[in-house]
Amino acid sequence: MKTYSLASLGLRFRALVGLPLAGRPLRLSCASRVGSAPSAGPSVPARLSVLSTFIFTLALTFSSTAHAQWQTPTYTLLGGWNSIYLHGDATHATLDQLFAANPEIIEVWRWNPNPNQTQYQSSPLIPSAGTPEWSIWTRGQPTQSTLASLVGRSAYLVRCTGTVSNTYSLALAQKILPPGSTWVRNGANFFGFPSRLAGSYPTLSSYFATFPAAIAANSRIYKYVGGELGAANPVQVFSTATEPLDRTRAYWFEAPVVSNFYAPVEIAPSQLDGLHYGRTGALLKVILRNLSAAAVTITVAPTASSAVPTGQTPILGAVPLKLRTLNAATATYTETPIVSAFNQVVGPQSSVELSFTVDRAQMPGTSGALYASFLRFTDAGNLLDVSLPASAVVSSLAGLWIGDVSVSNVQSKAGGTGGTTTVRPFPLRVLLHVDDAGTARLLSQVFLGRLAPSPYAIGLCTRESALKQDDRANASRFSAVHLPPDTEIASGSGSVALGATLVRTVPLPFNASTNPFVHAYHPDHDNKDARFQPLGADPITGASAESPAVNRVLSFSFATTAPPNSSSIGWGSTVLGGTFSETVTGIHKAALTVSGTFELRRISEIGAITTN
């Protein structure tokens, strides 16, 4: 493997892209590839000056993501060489599959702005792994193609059959990505931009008003207009005041600056790939940064995904997003469902932060089902059009939930008393486990640690003996002392789900040690006869002659939305709550009731549990 100085690499770059070298312009030629037909390969115009010590510092920027918010833009192509820019990722299919309905497309070249210089071999003109500036796909020649798929946020050259008088249409489904660009000083920048989608495109001068270096007099811009490569293709753009900036097209820029400019208003999500909440995410933010010296009005609109390509994850519906805002007067947050477009004013050269939550109560479906859509950002000046992908996955509620009931109402049977409100709430700890099948167990204790069977995986159990004995010190134990020891109640009605009610009965038999009427050493309350023999239970009431049976019926009603005094962050995925009631029979001749609210938080997503 050969190594080269920066100066020699600069000369090789000039040879690669067709810049003047030793008085003669060079072009990439498909004839350089064994067995291929001669073709004038893609070249930067010979008039584009690049310093011979050009350093490749711009990384190929793309994001491989499992989320799928689809758009299908249409590209207009002419016979010969065209440039296109992908705002989204199209790696879901091979190029042969993508262009199966477009036989006129015979070559696709991707510009790789950050080749690994150590990969250069004898000649960077040969389109192979040794010349990483270009990756190439040629129809019908899979063994000689180095371009396997179309990644997002990348510029491509597309060669079609025919002449400039032939017009073709290419509909290309892709998973849209947040915009981004990195400019290289004194380098050839091959970019596309998220200009206005509908209506007339903005001019170059208006779009780059906040980044004038890109269109300055000492910079050059070129565009491809179809036909074979030569003096007429690509052509230099001389009038930026009248030239429209086509969002589907890629342009060559030579600008002596280093910058990340991609739009006059930056749309920066807290996640690099968009608003992806997954199974448990709750709150994500987007920063709107105005680069201009005038206030800008941004319109934010929910937008549906286009049709899902065959073989891709189906989309159940749009993500039910909410806008979270702070009420300064009350110091509380308000969450407003985003069902239509709203406006946000961003001051001159300032930023605004928007917070978005997801309403999981509006996401019915089986666990793992995908919701996906977009938040579309446009400006009042009709310059930009950015779609941020949003997704959320229906979450299973399996796992261990721990929280407290706040008992605030107790029914009194004492004479002369009125009302049910307690002086202050009384806490009751709740341990609730939901297995992978949806069965909910009310527990009095649970351990989280390494289990005894090999391979000693982290798991949940209700007995300490189920833990790996030499690792018990590292396990965690949780308990609810108001329940009888070793309580594991899975039978009852209802389920753990938003809007559902779970009912579990905690029995206290007449002879249970935790029955309040039982006393081991009092002859009137030990459930034994005169000869100290155990008394039997009444077959109907379950009581004995000395102690009644006590039953506690606990009811948990899960709210679909967080109550005013609770945070909505994670509600429905990592936080559950609602109203609680309990009916106690056997203590008084009449049933006693208590009620309040409860809130649970999931501390483990392990659906399996080792029980007694």
Side-chain angles (χ1 to χ4, degrees):
M1 180 174 293
K2 296 184 180 181
T3 59
Y4 299 91
S5 67
L6 292 178
S8 65
L9 287 176
L11 293 176
R12 289 177 176 273
F13 172 75
R14 299 173 76 86
L16 171 70
V17 298
L19 300 180
L21 181 62
R24 292 190 305 172
L26 298 179
R27 292 177 181 165
L28 278 172
S29 173
C30 293
S32 299
R33 291 168 285 140
V34 177
S36 63
S39 167
S43 64
V44 179
R47 296 180 297 273
L48 182 61
S49 65
V50 182
L51 295 180
S52 62
T53 56
F54 178 84
I55 303 174
F56 298 102
T57 58
L58 178 57
L60 176 64
T61 307
F62 69 93
S63 175
S64 176
T65 174
H67 307 294
Q69 299 78 18
W70 298 93
Q71 286 184 0
T72 309
T74 299
Y75 298 87
T76 300
L77 304 175
L78 303 176
W81 291 94
N82 307 262
S83 66
I84 66 172
Y85 186 83
L86 266 64
H87 295 276
D89 188 277
T91 57
H92 62 282
T94 66
L95 273 70
D96 291 287
Q97 294 169 334
L98 289 175
F99 304 136
N102 298 87
E104 67 278 1
I105 298 177
I106 55 176
E107 290 185 33
V108 178
W109 295 52
R110 184 184 70 208
W111 173 247
N112 303 320
N114 187 32
N116 184 347
Q117 297 174 3
T118 63
Q119 292 181 0
Y120 279 111
Q121 297 185 15
S122 298
S123 174
L125 296 175
I126 301 175
S128 67
T131 58
E133 292 89 350
W134 290 101
S135 298
I136 309 164
W137 170 84
T138 303
R139 185 181 293 276
Q141 298 184 19
T143 59
Q144 299 177 35
S145 297
T146 58
L147 179 61
S149 59
L150 301 184
V151 298
R153 290 199 294 254
S154 293
Y156 298 84
L157 293 184
V158 179
R159 185 188 178 209
C160 298
T161 58
T163 66
V164 71
S165 61
N166 298 110
T167 302
Y168 310 102
S169 181
L170 170 64
L172 193 57
Q174 49 196 272
K175 294 177 284 188
I176 299 301
L177 302 172
S181 295
T182 302
W183 296 70
V184 178
R185 181 183 297 275
N186 297 326
N189 297 295
F190 200 22
F191 288 149
F193 298 90
S195 60
R196 187 70 174 178
L197 180 63
S200 300
Y201 290 120
T203 63
L204 284 166
S205 60
S206 60
Y207 193 88
F208 290 98
T210 58
F211 186 45
I215 57 175
N218 61 336
S219 299
R220 294 181 177 89
I221 305 171
Y222 294 88
K223 66 176 181 178
Y224 289 85
V225 293
E228 291 305 315
L229 296 175
N233 186 36
V235 297
Q236 184 176 351
V237 175
F238 290 100
S239 178
T240 58
T242 58
E243 181 69 28
L245 180 63
D246 187 339
R247 67 180 285 124
T248 67
R249 174 179 287 177
Y251 300 81
W252 286 106
F253 288 81
E254 182 198 21
V257 294
V258 174
S259 175
N260 293 321
F261 177 89
Y262 60 81
V265 177
E266 293 181 358
I267 315 294
S270 53
Q271 286 183 337
L272 293 180
D273 55 350
L275 302 174
H276 300 301
Y277 294 88
R279 294 180 300 105
T280 59
L283 175 66
L284 292 173
K285 299 180 179 181
V286 176
I287 295 178
L288 308 180
R289 185 174 294 111
N290 180 13
L291 305 180
S292 71
V296 174
T297 299
I298 298 294
T299 299
V300 185
T303 308
S305 170
S306 63
V308 177
T310 302
Q312 298 302 301
T313 304
I315 295 175
L316 220 56
V319 181
L321 295 172
K322 291 183 175 182
L323 177 65
R324 190 171 191 252
T325 55
L326 176 64
N327 186 326
T330 61
T332 59
Y333 285 97
T334 301
E335 294 187 352
T336 306
I338 304 175
V339 296
S340 59
F342 66 91
N343 291 333
Q344 176 65 57
V345 177
V346 186
Q349 296 180 343
S350 62
S351 301
V352 171
E353 183 179 85
L354 302 179
S355 297
F356 300 97
T357 61
V358 59
D359 185 359
R360 294 187 179 272
Q362 306 302 318
M363 291 175 52
T366 58
S367 176
L370 175 66
Y371 282 75
S373 53
F374 297 97
L375 275 184
R376 183 183 177 190
F377 296 79
T378 56
D379 69 307
N382 294 325
L383 296 178
L384 62 93
D385 198 322
V386 173
S387 291
L388 282 187
S391 70
V393 176
V394 177
S395 174
S396 165
L397 297 180
L400 179 62
W401 298 81
I402 297 181
D404 291 292
V405 170
S406 178
V407 177
S408 55
N409 293 277
V410 177
Q411 184 183 34
S412 174
K413 296 298 182 181
T417 60
T420 61
T421 305
T422 61
V423 176
R424 61 179 178 270
F426 183 82
L428 292 177
R429 175 54 53 93
V430 176
L431 305 179
L432 198 63
H433 181 265
V434 182
D435 65 20
D436 293 323
T439 301
R441 289 177 171 82
L442 189 65
L443 306 174
S444 60
Q445 74 173 3
V446 64
F447 297 88
L448 174 61
R450 294 193 179 277
L451 301 180
S454 178
Y456 313 117
I458 298 294
L460 298 169
C461 59
T462 58
R463 288 292 184 94
E464 186 177 350
S465 58
L467 294 170
K468 189 173 185 291
Q469 293 304 297
D470 60 356
D471 197 56
R472 286 181 298 173
N474 295 318
S476 298
R477 177 179 181 267
F478 307 93
S479 60
V481 297
H482 65 95
L483 296 177
D486 303 324
T487 295
E488 301 172 10
I489 303 174
S491 60
S493 63
S495 62
V496 176
L498 295 178
T501 298
L502 180 74
V503 179
R504 293 292 184 265
T505 299
V506 180
L508 292 177
F510 76 95
N511 57 353
S513 60
T514 53
N515 188 306
F517 293 98
V518 174
H519 194 293
Y521 304 107
H522 195 296
D524 292 337
H525 299 285
D526 60 359
N527 290 309
K528 296 178 182 178
D529 60 17
R531 290 182 172 81
F532 298 100
Q533 297 301 309
L535 296 174
D538 185 283
I540 298 177
T541 64
S544 74
E546 296 183 349
S547 299
V550 177
N551 283 302
R552 300 173 60 191
V553 180
L554 283 65
S555 178
F556 302 86
S557 295
F558 295 92
T560 57
T561 58
N565 60 339
S566 297
S567 172
S568 62
I569 303 301
W571 194 269
S573 59
T574 58
V575 182
L576 294 172
T579 57
F580 168 83
S581 65
E582 178 178 343
T583 301
V584 184
T585 57
I587 291 183
H588 191 271
K589 62 181 180 180
L592 304 178
T593 60
V594 300
S595 62
T597 60
F598 73 95
E599 185 170 293
L600 307 175
R601 295 185 177 271
R602 180 160 53 180
I603 68 165
S604 171
E605 294 186 30
I606 300 175
I609 187 169
T610 302
T611 56
N612 294 340

